[in-house]
Amino acid sequence: MKNLLIASTSTVYAGEYLDYLTKEMAALFKDTEEVIFIPYARPGGISHDAYTEKAAKAFTKIGKKLIGLHTFENPVEAIKNAKGAFTGGGNTFVLVSALYRLELMQPLREAIFKGLPYMGTSAGSNICGVSMQTTNDMPIVYPPSFKTLGVIPFNLNPHYLDPDPISKHMGETRETRIAEFHTQNTVPVVGLREGSWLRVKGEEIILKGELKARVFEQNKEPYEVESGTKFSNL
Amino acid sequence: MKNLLIASTSTVYAGEYLDYLTKEMAALFKDTEEVIFIPYARPGGISHDAYTEKAAKAFTKIGKKLIGLHTFENPVEAIKNAKGAFTGGGNTFVLVSALYRLELMQPLREAIFKGLPYMGTSAGSNICGVSMQTTNDMPIVYPPSFKTLGVIPFNLNPHYLDPDPISKHMGETRETRIAEFHTQNTVPVVGLREGSWLRVKGEEIILKGELKARVFEQNKEPYEVESGTKFSNL
């Protein structure tokens, strides 16, 4: 049975790294002392070691040991044997490129379908969708494919931002960008605002956190859904 | 001799499409009555015909006829014979995919090096750089490569936005994203604010418009350059 926590962001405004998710993390990883950390998204180009250290600090608060996947000689075996996994945010192109290069995409997908408790934030959440094609990140490396884990049947737009009504900036809004995605693709998109997350248990996907989410379907007006909504039709 | 006008945006706040560039356009295209329009970036998924019609209206103001490249049976020949070309904005992934699919990237590059007067806005400017890897657009289609025309020796970030000091949003700023680009790439990046453009004549590249631009080089603090600056060291 799938068991995931898919968060828009790692850190809410004025908060500490992962602090707002502590309770949820403790519940997700209740059956293991050790969680594998997937550090490949490298926010700001941080090293795998430094990123793992940062994330490990947050996990000590729930009494768990976090081990960087980059420290294993055979990362595919490490994922197969894992009892929990967390993929941190950063650049989705860098993350997806690394997962393909290390041939981890398929084993990670299989492990999640078999019940591996998985947590993602930002880029680590993006990869749960069908493709990474609604990421906000810059294409700083060229991945072999935009296809991602597909453990939920839609795409995500993390850090979803509403249009600023007083902005004089003429670049596209997030909503315009997602509308453009739907001129080329049929996959629905859930815009997750800061502090929102999805809790996946088996085929049930529930919106959590205080805010609404914005849902985008091809050839439909975008609409808002309340916290607590089950995404059973997407 | 190269002869280009590379603009951050097509439209400044409260302005009409291309209005702020009218004088510059008239000078760039002074030796031709006919300009080829490259409509493939399709902002908001607009059709090639509708996009060409919109752009053609702005060109009638300077007494020029604009013809969509999509209306030619042989677009490669059309580019080879063109006396002027304009690539409009939209989605850079869609534009670059089309240029590769139609085998236009190399002929367009060659024509520009031979002196084809070329104007780009937004996505149409992005492709003048070494790669499209500092675009702000969503990866809504998968292009065969991120390499672009390389008619200027650096990359662009059009619609450059300064960090908002009062924002509570935790997504990456534009500056953070470009810094991440430089963890993976050595190519310099010029952040062009709304209403700024580059005028290229031969090897001379000058910043125009009222605003400063922000320059990002690997392993250096980003810095501002004044309008009128020649980018001779990038």
Side-chain angles (χ1 to χ4, degrees), chain A residues 11 13 44 133 135-144 146 157 159 161 169-171 177 180-181 184-185 194, chain B residues 11 44 133 135-144 146 157 159 161 169-171 177 180-181 184-185 194:
Chain A
T11 315
Y13 182 71
Q133 292 181 272
T135 176
N136 311 307
D137 295 332
M138 269 187 187
I140 64 175
V141 296
Y142 185 73
F146 287 159
N157 181 248
H159 304 285
L161 251 190
H169 189 251
M170 302 296 286
R177 293 178 191 286
E180 287 186 352
F181 171 77
Q184 307 281 335
N185 301 275
E194 307 280 31
Chain B
T11 316
Q133 291 181 270
T135 177
N136 310 306
D137 296 332
M138 269 187 187
I140 65 176
V141 296
Y142 184 74
F146 287 158
N157 181 249
H159 305 284
L161 251 190
H169 188 252
M170 302 297 285
R177 294 178 191 285
E180 286 185 353
F181 171 77
Q184 306 282 334
N185 302 274
E194 307 279 32

Side-chain angles (χ1 to χ4, degrees), chain A residues 33-75:
Chain A
E33 299 299 301
E34 243 179 50
V35 175
I36 300 275
F37 181 56
I38 302 178
Y40 304 129
R42 301 186 60 193
I46 190 173
S47 75
H48 296 148
D49 279 343
Y51 197 16
T52 304
E53 200 178 315
K54 176 186 173 173
K57 266 186 205 162
F59 273 73
T60 56
K61 293 180 192 169
I62 57 164
K64 309 286 176 192
K65 195 177 166 188
L66 198 69
I67 307 171
L69 184 53
H70 65 291
T71 63
F72 288 85
E73 213 167 301
N74 187 332

